[in-house]
Amino acid sequence: MITIAEARTRVLAASRPLGTERVPIDEAHDRVLAADVTATGDVPPFPCSAMDGYAIVAGDPGRTLIVVGESRAGTPSATPLGDGSAIRISTGGAIPDGATAVIPQENVEVRDGTIITRVEVMAGDHLRGAGEDMRSGETVLRAGMTLGAAELGAAVSAGAAGVTVYRRPRVQVLCTGDELRAPGEPLGPGEIHNSNAPMLDALAATEGAMAGTARRLPDDRQATEAGLASALDAADVVIVSGGVSVGPHDHVKPALAGLGVEEVFWRVALQPGKPTWFGRRGGVLVFGLPGNPVSAVVTFSLFVRPALAALQGRTEEPLLEPEAVLGAAVRRNPSREQAVRVRLERRNGTLVAIPNGPQGSHIVTSLLGADALAFVPAGEGELEAGAAVALERLPR
Ligand code: AMP
Ligand code: MG
């Protein structure tokens, strides 16, 4: 058995970014940028008004100015500003030549084609300078960033029609088990519903992968090998659940060996998740996750998720608060580190990690409302309430 950290190091060593592709902005949400974005021009491109009002020359209150034109957003004034005049202007309208400020409409009196200024106006009042947001040539977004709403807006403002992003990994989930039934299907004796399929598909999608629909494989050597063979040909990452232990009906390991998938590790000193298997064939990564639903989710979180991130060139932000104190004692496992599903609560300023109900690897409900994984190191006896524990994200 290797440690969680060692397993993760080996996974990351095998997870190099996939290629890059150019996508239009409207397909770029949540993608990871593979090349910096620089502004193609100043933003705003021209000096403009921050208010609805009048473009004027700065000066004292009490002046009467003739309104000689209008500058609307999208339609600049054809006339420049002359002496003793004003130009009606909307928010975002271009500042006409000759104007040095904008006076908001609530600060003027309108009378017969003129305005009377009611307040003193300083040069630059209510003006937005060209390039205040971005300077032409400035680097606005850096490779490695995930494109959220703000990044998409900034890219478009910067003049980009598209962005260069990392390719999304193609993921195929395979769930092994004769006992598995589709959602809602009536259960015969000894059968259960395939809860791993939607969870693993959803987790892969959350991580930015293109996950097809999970397929089910019976506990049969030939069928297992055939299912794995087609997944290996079509995907960048194959995730198999179940069948990686040592029972007589666990066919995944021998089938993978038969298909030339090289084992990188099998078994991690982790509870839940001991039988986790990882290997590769060429550039294709294969994860054999334990069948128990909680184990599958925990091992996805610890090992598959970092791989999917690395394949997309994504650098994960550390948790704002990577530590908490344990809210209740947890019996240690003598030989394996435990990843406990916890709810996080703040009590008198301290972040407390409360084990989220029974921790058996078959208890799917222990995942409901869980905020994070808390790590309890291997050892004897209990880790007492109040002890510090490291936290990690638990994706949804
Ligand atoms: P295995 O790893 O195949 O030995 O499975 C361990 C346990 O997880 C058994 O109780 C299985 O019935 C259960 N299990 C395996 N696959 C799934 C699945 N896709 N959904 C729900 N439970 C599963
Ligand atoms: Mg099984």
Side-chain angles (χ1 to χ4, degrees), residues 5 18 36 56 63 88 93 111 129 131 155 161 180 187 196 204 228 239 265 271 289-290 308 312 323 331 385:
L18 301 168
D36 294 353
I56 62 173
R63 291 178 294 154
R88 180 100 177 96
R111 192 184 296 166
L180 301 178
L187 298 179
N196 286 353
L228 283 166
I239 302 171
F265 64 77
Q271 184 187 27
L289 307 184
L308 294 179
Q312 294 170 84
E323 229 184 63
R331 176 151 299 283

Short mmCIF file of all heavy atoms in Angstrom, two decimals, residues 5 18 36 56 63 88 93 111 129 131 155 161 180 187 196 204 228 239 265 271 289-290 308 312 323 331 385:
data_model
loop_
_atom_site.label_atom_id
_atom_site.label_comp_id
_atom_site.label_asym_id
_atom_site.label_seq_id
_atom_site.Cartn_x
_atom_site.Cartn_y
_atom_site.Cartn_z
N ALA A 5 -0.58 10.65 -0.57
CA ALA A 5 0.30 11.64 -1.21
C ALA A 5 1.12 10.99 -2.32
O ALA A 5 1.26 11.56 -3.42
CB ALA A 5 1.22 12.27 -0.17
N LEU A 18 -3.57 17.91 -22.11
CA LEU A 18 -3.92 17.47 -23.46
C LEU A 18 -3.65 18.65 -24.39
O LEU A 18 -3.22 19.71 -23.93
CB LEU A 18 -5.40 17.09 -23.50
CG LEU A 18 -5.82 15.98 -22.55
CD1 LEU A 18 -7.34 15.90 -22.47
CD2 LEU A 18 -5.25 14.64 -23.00
N ASP A 36 -2.30 33.42 -22.95
CA ASP A 36 -2.70 34.72 -22.39
C ASP A 36 -3.62 35.46 -23.35
O ASP A 36 -3.52 35.29 -24.56
CB ASP A 36 -1.46 35.60 -22.15
CG ASP A 36 -0.55 35.04 -21.07
OD1 ASP A 36 -0.95 34.04 -20.42
OD2 ASP A 36 0.54 35.60 -20.89
N ILE A 56 -19.62 69.71 -21.33
CA ILE A 56 -19.39 71.16 -21.30
C ILE A 56 -17.91 71.44 -21.04
O ILE A 56 -17.12 70.51 -20.89
CB ILE A 56 -20.23 71.85 -20.18
CG1 ILE A 56 -19.82 71.29 -18.81
CG2 ILE A 56 -21.72 71.64 -20.41
CD1 ILE A 56 -20.46 72.03 -17.63
N ARG A 63 -23.84 79.56 -15.29
CA ARG A 63 -23.62 79.88 -16.70
C ARG A 63 -24.80 79.38 -17.54
O ARG A 63 -25.35 78.32 -17.27
CB ARG A 63 -22.34 79.21 -17.21
CG ARG A 63 -21.06 79.79 -16.59
CD ARG A 63 -19.83 79.06 -17.10
NE ARG A 63 -19.81 77.68 -16.63
CZ ARG A 63 -19.19 76.69 -17.26
NH1 ARG A 63 -18.57 76.92 -18.41
NH2 ARG A 63 -19.20 75.48 -16.77
N ARG A 88 -25.76 67.58 -25.27
CA ARG A 88 -26.50 66.57 -24.52
C ARG A 88 -25.74 65.26 -24.64
O ARG A 88 -25.27 64.90 -25.73
CB ARG A 88 -27.90 66.44 -25.13
CG ARG A 88 -28.79 65.43 -24.45
CD ARG A 88 -29.74 66.18 -23.52
NE ARG A 88 -30.68 65.27 -22.88
CZ ARG A 88 -30.49 64.75 -21.66
NH1 ARG A 88 -29.40 65.00 -20.98
NH2 ARG A 88 -31.40 63.97 -21.13
N GLY A 93 -21.74 57.77 -23.91
CA GLY A 93 -21.58 58.58 -25.11
C GLY A 93 -20.16 59.15 -25.19
O GLY A 93 -19.56 59.47 -24.15
N ARG A 111 -33.85 75.33 -20.21
CA ARG A 111 -34.77 76.42 -20.58
C ARG A 111 -34.54 76.83 -22.02
O ARG A 111 -33.43 77.28 -22.37
CB ARG A 111 -34.52 77.62 -19.64
CG ARG A 111 -35.59 78.68 -19.74
CD ARG A 111 -35.27 79.89 -18.88
NE ARG A 111 -35.24 79.58 -17.45
CZ ARG A 111 -34.72 80.39 -16.53
NH1 ARG A 111 -34.16 81.53 -16.89
NH2 ARG A 111 -34.75 80.06 -15.26
N GLY A 129 -11.92 57.97 -18.82
CA GLY A 129 -10.82 58.10 -19.78
C GLY A 129 -10.66 56.86 -20.63
O GLY A 129 -10.99 55.75 -20.20
N GLY A 131 -8.94 53.72 -22.00
CA GLY A 131 -7.94 52.82 -21.40
C GLY A 131 -7.97 52.75 -19.88
O GLY A 131 -7.08 52.17 -19.28
N ALA A 155 -12.43 39.04 -21.58
CA ALA A 155 -11.88 38.62 -22.88
C ALA A 155 -12.58 39.38 -24.01
O ALA A 155 -11.92 39.86 -24.94
CB ALA A 155 -12.04 37.11 -23.07
N ALA A 161 -12.40 37.41 -30.04
CA ALA A 161 -13.58 36.73 -30.58
C ALA A 161 -13.61 35.29 -30.10
O ALA A 161 -14.65 34.64 -30.04
CB ALA A 161 -13.55 36.74 -32.11
N LEU A 180 -26.09 -4.72 -10.53
CA LEU A 180 -26.48 -3.33 -10.75
C LEU A 180 -27.69 -3.20 -11.67
O LEU A 180 -27.76 -3.82 -12.72
CB LEU A 180 -25.31 -2.55 -11.34
CG LEU A 180 -24.04 -2.54 -10.49
CD1 LEU A 180 -22.95 -1.78 -11.20
CD2 LEU A 180 -24.32 -1.95 -9.12
N LEU A 187 -35.97 -4.19 -8.42
CA LEU A 187 -34.81 -4.99 -8.01
C LEU A 187 -35.21 -6.44 -7.78
O LEU A 187 -36.19 -6.72 -7.08
CB LEU A 187 -34.23 -4.42 -6.71
CG LEU A 187 -33.70 -2.98 -6.78
CD1 LEU A 187 -33.19 -2.54 -5.41
CD2 LEU A 187 -32.62 -2.86 -7.84
N ASN A 196 -23.41 4.61 -8.55
CA ASN A 196 -22.12 5.19 -8.96
C ASN A 196 -22.20 5.86 -10.32
O ASN A 196 -21.49 6.85 -10.57
CB ASN A 196 -21.05 4.10 -9.03
CG ASN A 196 -20.60 3.65 -7.66
OD1 ASN A 196 -21.00 4.23 -6.66
ND2 ASN A 196 -19.79 2.60 -7.61
N ALA A 204 -17.30 13.95 -13.10
CA ALA A 204 -16.41 14.19 -14.24
C ALA A 204 -16.82 15.46 -14.98
O ALA A 204 -15.99 16.28 -15.37
CB ALA A 204 -16.43 12.98 -15.17
N LEU A 228 -13.85 -2.59 -21.65
CA LEU A 228 -12.66 -1.78 -21.41
C LEU A 228 -11.96 -1.43 -22.71
O LEU A 228 -11.49 -0.31 -22.90
CB LEU A 228 -11.70 -2.53 -20.49
CG LEU A 228 -12.07 -2.53 -19.00
CD1 LEU A 228 -11.24 -3.57 -18.25
CD2 LEU A 228 -11.84 -1.15 -18.40
N ILE A 239 -12.75 5.43 -16.26
CA ILE A 239 -12.99 5.25 -14.82
C ILE A 239 -13.85 4.01 -14.66
O ILE A 239 -14.98 3.96 -15.15
CB ILE A 239 -13.73 6.47 -14.23
CG1 ILE A 239 -12.92 7.76 -14.47
CG2 ILE A 239 -13.99 6.26 -12.74
CD1 ILE A 239 -13.68 9.03 -14.10
N PHE A 265 -0.19 1.88 -9.78
CA PHE A 265 -0.32 1.43 -8.39
C PHE A 265 -1.64 0.72 -8.19
O PHE A 265 -2.60 0.89 -8.95
CB PHE A 265 -0.14 2.57 -7.38
CG PHE A 265 -1.20 3.66 -7.43
CD1 PHE A 265 -2.47 3.46 -6.87
CD2 PHE A 265 -0.91 4.90 -7.99
CE1 PHE A 265 -3.43 4.47 -6.90
CE2 PHE A 265 -1.87 5.91 -8.01
CZ PHE A 265 -3.13 5.68 -7.47
N GLN A 271 -8.86 4.95 3.89
CA GLN A 271 -10.19 4.41 4.19
C GLN A 271 -11.20 5.54 4.07
O GLN A 271 -11.04 6.57 4.74
CB GLN A 271 -10.23 3.86 5.62
CG GLN A 271 -11.57 3.22 5.93
CD GLN A 271 -11.71 2.82 7.39
OE1 GLN A 271 -11.09 3.43 8.27
NE2 GLN A 271 -12.52 1.84 7.65
N LEU A 289 -11.75 2.30 -9.50
CA LEU A 289 -12.21 2.78 -8.20
C LEU A 289 -13.01 1.69 -7.50
O LEU A 289 -13.67 0.88 -8.17
CB LEU A 289 -13.09 4.04 -8.36
CG LEU A 289 -12.50 5.18 -9.17
CD1 LEU A 289 -13.45 6.38 -9.15
CD2 LEU A 289 -11.12 5.58 -8.64
N PRO A 290 -12.98 1.66 -6.17
CA PRO A 290 -13.76 0.66 -5.45
C PRO A 290 -15.25 0.83 -5.76
O PRO A 290 -15.71 1.92 -6.07
CB PRO A 290 -13.49 0.97 -3.98
CG PRO A 290 -12.35 1.93 -3.95
CD PRO A 290 -12.26 2.58 -5.28
N LEU A 308 -7.89 15.14 -13.86
CA LEU A 308 -8.70 15.86 -14.86
C LEU A 308 -8.30 17.34 -14.89
O LEU A 308 -8.28 17.95 -15.96
CB LEU A 308 -10.19 15.71 -14.54
CG LEU A 308 -10.76 14.29 -14.68
CD1 LEU A 308 -12.24 14.27 -14.30
CD2 LEU A 308 -10.56 13.76 -16.09
N GLN A 312 -6.22 19.44 -18.15
CA GLN A 312 -6.72 20.69 -18.72
C GLN A 312 -5.85 21.88 -18.36
O GLN A 312 -6.26 23.03 -18.53
CB GLN A 312 -8.14 20.97 -18.21
CG GLN A 312 -9.14 19.95 -18.68
CD GLN A 312 -10.48 20.10 -17.97
OE1 GLN A 312 -11.31 20.90 -18.36
NE2 GLN A 312 -10.66 19.35 -16.91
N GLU A 323 -7.66 23.88 7.21
CA GLU A 323 -7.60 23.14 8.47
C GLU A 323 -8.83 23.45 9.31
O GLU A 323 -9.39 24.53 9.23
CB GLU A 323 -6.36 23.56 9.25
CG GLU A 323 -5.56 22.39 9.76
CD GLU A 323 -4.38 22.85 10.62
OE1 GLU A 323 -4.61 23.47 11.69
OE2 GLU A 323 -3.25 22.59 10.20
N ARG A 331 -12.51 7.13 15.67
CA ARG A 331 -11.62 5.98 15.89
C ARG A 331 -10.66 5.89 14.72
O ARG A 331 -11.06 5.94 13.57
CB ARG A 331 -12.48 4.72 16.01
CG ARG A 331 -11.67 3.43 16.14
CD ARG A 331 -12.42 2.36 16.93
NE ARG A 331 -12.71 2.80 18.32
CZ ARG A 331 -11.82 2.84 19.33
NH1 ARG A 331 -10.56 2.46 19.13
NH2 ARG A 331 -12.18 3.26 20.52
N ALA A 385 -11.89 14.75 19.85
CA ALA A 385 -12.56 15.99 19.42
C ALA A 385 -11.64 17.16 19.77
O ALA A 385 -10.99 17.14 20.82
CB ALA A 385 -13.90 16.13 20.13
#
